[in-house]
Amino acid sequence: MAIPAKVNLTDPFEVDTLLEIRTSGMKKMTGLNIESGIDKKLCPGPMKVGKLGLEGDEHDPTFHGGPDKAILGSPDQIKDCSSHYADWQQSYPERTDRFVPGGFGENFVTARMNERNVCIGDVISVGPELVLQVSLPRQPCFKLNHRFSLKNFAPVTYQTSRTGWYYRVVREGTVRVGDDIRLVERKWPQWTVERVQEYLHRTTDNLEMNQQLADVDALGEESRGQFRKRVAKALRKARAEAEDTWKDFRITGRKMETPRIVSLVLEAVNPDPETELPLAGAHARIKLPNGLIRSYSIAAGGDSLFKVTDKFELGVALDENSRGGSRYLHETSKVGDILQVGRITTGIGFAKSASNHCFIAGGIGITAFLPLIRGMDAIHLNYKLHYAVRSADDIPFLDRLEPHKENIVFYDKSKGERMDVKKIVKDLMWNSHLYVCGPNRMMEATKAAVEESGIPPDEVHYEAFAADISGDPFEAELSGKKSQVLKVGEDESLLEVLRRELPDFPSSCEVGNCGTCKITVKSGCVDHRGSALLPEEKETSMLACVSRGIGRIAIEV
């Protein structure tokens, strides 16, 4: 980038001062098997700055460091009493000793710059040699929660635009405390760090703003990529709503993982290069040639560790009480067959604010969590899997679990080993998120243990792979459609009946996990089933796939 020799700008920080320089090595975080470079210490004397940042400063390259994150800048958070450290101390008096300079992992501390007067793309000089460009607003992760021992603290920082910002290095050089900081060029005055955070975190569905930010070439890829993906997703959604939602997929791989579990690889007959969805928690609705429609967890995304493209893999257990779905895939399907796949949707991702992740799974339930576990391992998150199996011969995808065996505890029923769910829940470390998928007995035992331990509902995710939809017949009056009353039989779901009237009615997991089929209840009593609704949501909503009305209810879809 060419640096203009002279630029006339009027700005509150046209000249600022470098008050502190801080660096750190990588250290293990207390109580976690995770290293971090967040613990920055003051640096005496002049410091060299290269393309990747300050000499001797270390980062976990998974989320930090690199050309777009060479230097983390922050205002003098003690003197700026209207925000930052002084305000954090007032808001969290029990953590006053931790809200001190360096607490947020900042490299450069300045006097007057802040998130409201620093813009993306700003080019600044620091001292006589170094030239930097503002590249990104910082997006704090769970490590900030853990550092301050405050659950969900990281989101508060970006919701209030008190995060700091990153620089890329335009010209290398040496810096000293007390160096002047001068604004050299401002190309994007409308995009302050605070305003970018508005659309990055708070108003995320503004397509016009997402499009504008996707075109800001000075914005680092971490944020710019998010805006591009939002635009692409909005366009895909609009296109999908205008087209048939079913696509032909060919079975290109088939393997018996165990005597009762088959894995199937499906590839789109007509691939769409723009197809890309988050893999974690993804479900695919499959329409079988025998007319049945079933939903299955996606166990792998083809060639991608984090994304579902036009190739993915399922794991299907033969249900002893199969109504035809799993039996067809086990006994009739073969390589080369064509199956129709509906919209692929996601219902679970990893809890970004959690310091630790604990999985409880049984049998085929591992398919719901396998992508999450592999993804967490790749980005160095702290996790543990408790996995109950019938025997050593009944473990699907064993080759993919092998690399993670240090984080897995197996419970082999054939050897008399029993998972103590109550103890696992009781012993969860601070700021853990719990994920559960298994047979009904395991799910109910976990729910009882969670309730007894007083764990909030938003710190647990239940992923059922079977659901009891049966019950007494009931009637559902469709609001806004005069005299249209749907009759739901004892062995069918409200979702199945709704589809007779609305063939494209949305759904995903169809066992009460994801909430895609949530509808509004205007009046009447509901027998709530499934886990996707929070307690307060059950007052006005129900899950059409599993929950049942009692007598007669009025609904709005």
Side-chain angles (χ1 to χ4, degrees), residues 279-328:
L279 174 57
H283 300 89
R285 286 179 61 223
I286 309 295
K287 183 184 290 185
L288 303 174
N290 61 10
L292 294 175
I293 296 176
R294 294 291 183 265
S295 182
Y296 297 101
S297 295
I298 294 179
D303 302 322
S304 173
L305 186 61
F306 299 102
K307 303 294 181 182
V308 178
T309 57
D310 272 325
K311 178 181 178 181
F312 60 87
E313 186 174 9
L314 306 176
V316 182
L318 179 59
D319 188 345
E320 296 173 356
N321 300 310
S322 173
R323 294 191 292 167
S326 65
R327 190 167 300 282
Y328 178 90

Side-chain angles (χ1 to χ4, degrees), residues 78-309:
I78 291 296
K79 291 182 180 177
D80 183 5
C81 293
S82 64
S83 61
H84 301 85
Y85 284 133
D87 193 47
W88 294 131
Q89 290 175 355
Q90 186 176 356
S91 299
Y92 301 100
E94 72 278 18
R95 299 288 182 268
T96 299
D97 60 324
R98 302 190 189 186
F99 286 111
V100 294
F104 277 68
E106 57 267 37
N107 295 119
F108 282 3
V109 179
T110 53
R112 290 178 290 279
M113 302 169 72
N114 59 59
E115 292 84 354
R116 284 155 286 285
N117 61 23
V118 171
C119 298
I120 295 300
D122 281 358
V123 177
I124 67 168
S125 64
V126 186
E129 300 175 3
L130 185 65
V131 178
L132 306 175
Q133 184 181 43
V134 178
S135 55
L136 287 163
R138 182 188 184 185
Q139 296 193 60
C141 64
F142 74 93
K143 293 180 182 179
L144 210 58
N145 304 331
H146 202 79
R147 181 166 176 75
F148 294 111
S149 297
L150 294 170
K151 290 183 179 181
N152 297 310
F153 176 64
V156 176
T157 66
Y158 55 69
Q159 288 161 4
T160 56
S161 295
R162 290 182 281 177
T163 61
W165 56 90
Y166 285 107
Y167 299 103
R168 61 173 65 92
V169 177
V170 177
R171 187 171 67 209
E172 299 174 338
T174 299
V175 294
R176 298 167 180 80
V177 170
D179 276 347
D180 283 344
I181 299 173
R182 296 182 181 275
L183 183 61
V184 176
E185 179 184 26
R186 171 163 286 180
K187 185 179 178 181
W188 303 95
Q190 72 274 39
W191 290 118
T192 63
V193 171
E194 181 181 50
R195 189 162 184 249
V196 172
Q197 288 175 320
E198 171 65 36
Y199 297 106
L200 192 60
H201 299 296
R202 299 187 286 271
T203 307
T204 60
D205 58 352
N206 189 315
L207 180 57
E208 181 184 355
M209 293 298 103
N210 286 334
Q211 288 173 322
Q212 287 188 30
L213 283 157
D215 291 334
V216 177
D217 55 18
L219 184 61
E221 183 58 28
E222 178 183 77
S223 297
R224 193 181 183 194
Q226 286 182 258
F227 291 118
R228 281 201 298 258
K229 288 174 183 176
R230 289 178 190 172
V231 173
K233 181 180 179 180
L235 296 176
R236 282 197 307 269
K237 182 179 179 181
R239 187 169 64 247
E241 289 175 351
E243 298 173 356
D244 185 9
T245 59
W246 295 96
K247 290 177 62 176
D248 287 339
F249 276 68
R250 180 176 285 109
I251 299 176
T252 59
R254 191 179 194 280
K255 175 186 175 183
M256 292 305 299
E257 295 284 336
T258 75
R260 69 181 192 93
I261 299 174
V262 64
S263 66
L264 301 169
V265 178
L266 280 72
E267 295 190 47
V269 174
N270 298 303
D272 179 355
E274 294 185 3
T275 297
E276 188 177 277
L277 295 167
L279 174 57
H283 300 89
R285 286 179 61 223
I286 309 295
K287 183 184 290 185
L288 303 174
N290 61 10
L292 294 175
I293 296 176
R294 294 291 183 265
S295 182
Y296 297 101
S297 295
I298 294 179
D303 302 322
S304 173
L305 186 61
F306 299 102
K307 303 294 181 182
V308 178
T309 57

Side-chain angles (χ1 to χ4, degrees), residues 343-369:
R343 295 178 190 172
I344 296 172
T345 55
T346 55
I348 174 179
F350 70 85
K352 295 180 180 179
S353 289
S355 302
N356 182 64
H357 306 265
C358 180
F359 296 87
I360 294 176
I364 192 61
I366 192 63
T367 58
F369 298 146

Side-chain angles (χ1 to χ4, degrees), residues 178 223 264 285 341 365 377 402 441 528 545 550 555:
S223 297
L264 301 169
R285 286 179 61 223
V341 177
D377 196 78
E402 181 66 22
R441 184 176 177 181
H528 287 287
C545 66
I550 299 174
I555 61 174

